[in-house]
Amino acid sequence: MSAAPPPPPPSPRSEAMSDSEEESPDRQLKFVVLGDGTSGKTSLATSFTQEAFGKQYKQTVGLDFFLKRITLPGNLNVTLQVWDIGGQTIGGKMLDKYIYGAQGVLLVYDITNYQSFENLEDWYNAVKKVNEESEAQPHVALVGNKIDLEHMRTVKADRHHRFCQENRFSSHFVSAKTGDSVFLCFQRIAADILDIKLNRAEIEQSQRVVKADIVNYSQEPVTRTVNSPRSSMCAIQ
């Protein structure tokens, strides 16, 4: 199939970057973050790009867009475009355009919500559909979020690892709330894409955390319907 070219990215939500940084980045990678609403995708993107965690939850509609510049071993500067895709976008006409051209795909679920894990099959099918005739396949990462709620886990770790093995995903466990392993997750994915090996010291240094506020997630079921495609600037998920 011939995939349609992606739409131009909306204005980024990130820390300010200088003109020289925007004009001549060393490398640029597009990451798309997929998964059900309330799985913590926006919190994950915000924790990584802004080292912050929102107090309130509001579901992303359409997409949000973030930028973050990191430095990998060898003094390689890499600008990551992080496309946070709304949980209700699955099945929508714009989803394949959002996914198109991504070098990295993060399939995010909530370890305390088994349905969010089960629904990743649908999200991954959308990724495969876009890339079925592409020679350059994206790096796909399975990301279990909310490890700060380990005592409430419903998705066993062995089920997570089995899904990774079956589909050759990289495996990650993070807490967007505390920041635990968030930077490391994005750093490892970027390094894998660029075939750069991280040493143990670099990995340990990246396992930093941020101060968190408590968020009360709605207990109402998430409706997985398609909204009109648009780019939105919303409160943190």
Side-chain angles (χ1 to χ4, degrees):
M1 65 179 265
S2 59
S11 300
R13 294 173 58 186
S14 73
E15 69 270 14
M17 299 175 63
S18 69
D19 291 340
S20 60
E21 286 179 326
E22 291 185 318
E23 290 172 0
S24 57
D26 294 80
R27 292 297 299 268
Q28 191 163 123
L29 297 176
K30 175 182 175 180
F31 284 10
V32 293
V33 185
L34 303 176
D36 282 1
T38 73
S39 61
K41 300 186 305 296
T42 303
S43 292
L44 179 64
T46 307
S47 179
F48 170 60
T49 58
Q50 301 174 359
E51 298 187 13
F53 183 80
K55 298 179 182 179
Q56 298 179 346
Y57 166 72
K58 183 177 180 181
Q59 190 170 37
T60 301
V61 179
L63 73 90
D64 253 340
F65 181 77
F66 303 81
L67 285 178
K68 178 77 170 184
R69 198 181 197 206
I70 66 173
T71 301
L72 294 177
N75 203 30
L76 177 63
N77 293 319
V78 183
T79 299
L80 302 184
Q81 298 180 359
V82 182
W83 295 53
D84 168 30
I85 311 302
Q88 295 183 329
T89 309
I90 192 164
K93 295 179 181 179
M94 295 295 290
L95 181 59
D96 60 344
K97 295 179 174 62
Y98 297 155
I99 295 172
Y100 181 87
Q103 289 97 348
V105 175
L106 283 70
L107 298 177
V108 181
Y109 72 95
D110 172 359
I111 67 167
T112 72
N113 182 341
Y114 196 83
Q115 191 61 50
S116 71
F117 178 78
E118 288 281 284
N119 290 339
L120 290 182
E121 288 280 4
D122 293 335
W123 291 103
Y124 184 45
N125 284 335
V127 174
K128 290 191 291 186
K129 178 183 176 183
V130 172
N131 294 281
E132 61 185 358
E133 293 185 6
S134 173
E135 294 183 3
Q137 295 295 315
H139 176 108
V140 181
L142 181 61
V143 183
N145 188 26
K146 305 187 186 179
I147 58 173
D148 54 288
L149 300 176
E150 181 67 31
H151 60 290
M152 298 173 60
R153 175 190 285 273
T154 60
V155 182
K156 294 185 181 298
D158 61 351
R159 182 68 188 91
H160 169 107
H161 291 303
R162 187 161 67 250
F163 193 32
C164 288
Q165 293 171 355
E166 291 169 351
N167 296 281
R168 298 183 179 181
F169 299 155
S170 64
S171 172
H172 309 265
F173 288 103
V174 304
S175 170
K177 179 178 179 180
T178 67
D180 189 2
S181 296
V182 169
F183 186 88
L184 177 61
C185 172
F186 285 87
Q187 182 190 45
R188 282 179 53 197
I189 296 169
D192 286 345
I193 292 171
L194 298 173
D195 199 23
I196 294 173
K197 187 172 180 59
L198 302 176
N199 61 40
R200 179 174 294 182
E202 289 159 342
I203 291 174
E204 291 177 351
Q205 185 179 6
S206 298
Q207 288 178 310
R208 57 190 179 184
V209 299
V210 297
K211 184 178 179 181
D213 290 305
I214 296 174
V215 59
N216 293 318
Y217 288 94
S218 170
Q219 298 302 311
E220 297 179 3
V222 176
T223 304
R224 302 174 74 234
T225 56
V226 178
N227 287 281
S228 301
R230 61 188 176 92
S231 189
S232 70
M233 312 306 288
C234 70
I236 302 307
Q237 176 167 320

